[in-house]
Amino acid sequence: MKKEQLEGSNIFFQNEYTLEKNIIENNYENILNLIFELWEFNRPAKIDIYIMKSDFKFAIMTHSIVQKLLLITFYLPFWILFERETRKKWRAVSHFQRKYPIILLKPIEAYDRLDKSIGKHIFIDAKIYKKKDQFLITLCDQLVNICIPPKIPIWINEGISTFTVENFIKKPKYKNESILLLKNDCKMIKNVHELSKVSDTCIAYNYAKGYWTVRYLEENYPGFLKETFMKYEGEEIVERIRLKLGLSEEDFWEQLDELLYENYKHLLDNQ
């Protein structure tokens, strides 16, 4: 693979993915600047970005020798039996195995085979975007994800990510109908391990709730979230949101649905 340096970071790619590499080079710095402007999240000193199709090859290339042996010996059978087909449908993934973030971005040619089962509930049809714009959205989404501190609840992460992407591309990513998901009765997803234990509808509900919450707060109380993220973590952040919105402690989760739906339901009339 070729390697090009970019502001202290690296892009690993093959010749056939030069378009994707150019998209990264032309937008990387502007995305990171926007992330800091909106949230003041610290940018990593170094980021490795790989453009390739294979999740397993990516894992092998970005782990230590000992970890590679463990992956091949113990994880490969599980991968083949349970995770291979699922991960083949992912557009991107990231990890911190080398104490700095490493991102896998699938090339544009793989996009037609990627999974849309959850996205169909919440996202505007990707067909309205050119494939290179879809890649740019994925790049932006991943750069936000690696900058978001782990102290922020996972359902709010999605709102931060999508709000940032929409600000960068100057186009909506969520469809207005996603507000209807808040009519469902779904629990809060508290960590990534719960994602495999709940339905696609429940995941879509948590994602939509995070998006509309962040959007509502930024539209009505600009700067509140930035300040909150700097001072609080975990459930303290949720509590600050509750207090800001004047919702009850016992029924916060349900009342938040009602507040968001009532505020944005007029968008459904404009379809």
Side-chain angles (χ1 to χ4, degrees), residues 157-270:
N157 281 13
E158 172 62 20
I160 296 168
S161 176
T162 304
F163 188 85
T164 307
V165 169
E166 290 186 344
N167 269 265
F168 186 74
I169 65 174
K170 307 301 182 185
K171 294 177 182 178
K173 184 181 177 186
Y174 264 64
K175 56 186 179 181
N176 292 339
E177 294 94 331
S178 65
I179 195 69
L180 292 170
L181 285 165
L182 302 186
K183 289 294 185 179
N184 295 329
D185 182 18
C186 295
K187 70 175 185 176
M188 180 193 298
I189 296 176
K190 296 185 176 181
N191 57 66
V192 294
H193 304 296
E194 293 184 8
L195 292 173
S196 61
K197 300 176 183 177
V198 299
S199 67
D200 286 351
T201 301
C202 184
I203 295 173
Y205 163 86
N206 274 262
Y207 283 3
K209 190 161 189 166
Y211 168 73
W212 292 106
T213 298
V214 170
R215 177 169 165 176
Y216 180 83
L217 289 168
E218 285 298 298
E219 289 177 351
N220 292 277
Y221 310 102
F224 163 74
L225 283 175
K226 179 194 293 188
E227 183 179 345
T228 300
F229 295 151
M230 293 172 67
K231 295 180 179 179
Y232 301 96
E233 59 184 55
E235 291 306 306
E236 293 177 329
I237 293 172
V238 178
E239 178 65 6
R240 300 311 298 179
I241 292 173
R242 182 188 73 79
L243 292 171
K244 189 69 174 179
L245 299 179
L247 304 179
S248 75
E249 186 173 357
E250 296 78 10
D251 300 315
F252 164 73
W253 196 239
E254 295 75 17
Q255 287 183 359
L256 181 57
D257 285 339
E258 295 174 11
L259 183 152
L260 296 172
Y261 181 81
E262 290 300 318
N263 189 77
Y264 290 110
K265 66 181 181 181
H266 69 277
L267 297 176
L268 300 173
D269 300 328
N270 301 326

Side-chain angles (χ1 to χ4, degrees), residues 119-179:
K120 69 182 180 182
H121 295 288
I122 52 180
F123 298 138
I124 292 172
D125 191 341
K127 292 178 182 178
I128 72 168
Y129 302 114
K130 296 178 181 179
K131 290 290 179 63
K132 63 180 183 180
D133 292 327
Q134 294 180 43
F135 183 84
L136 176 59
I137 289 171
T138 304
L139 169 65
C140 185
D141 185 66
Q142 287 299 308
L143 289 177
V144 179
N145 286 339
I146 63 171
C147 290
I148 295 177
K151 65 181 183 180
I152 296 178
I154 187 172
W155 64 277
I156 298 176
N157 281 13
E158 172 62 20
I160 296 168
S161 176
T162 304
F163 188 85
T164 307
V165 169
E166 290 186 344
N167 269 265
F168 186 74
I169 65 174
K170 307 301 182 185
K171 294 177 182 178
K173 184 181 177 186
Y174 264 64
K175 56 186 179 181
N176 292 339
E177 294 94 331
S178 65
I179 195 69

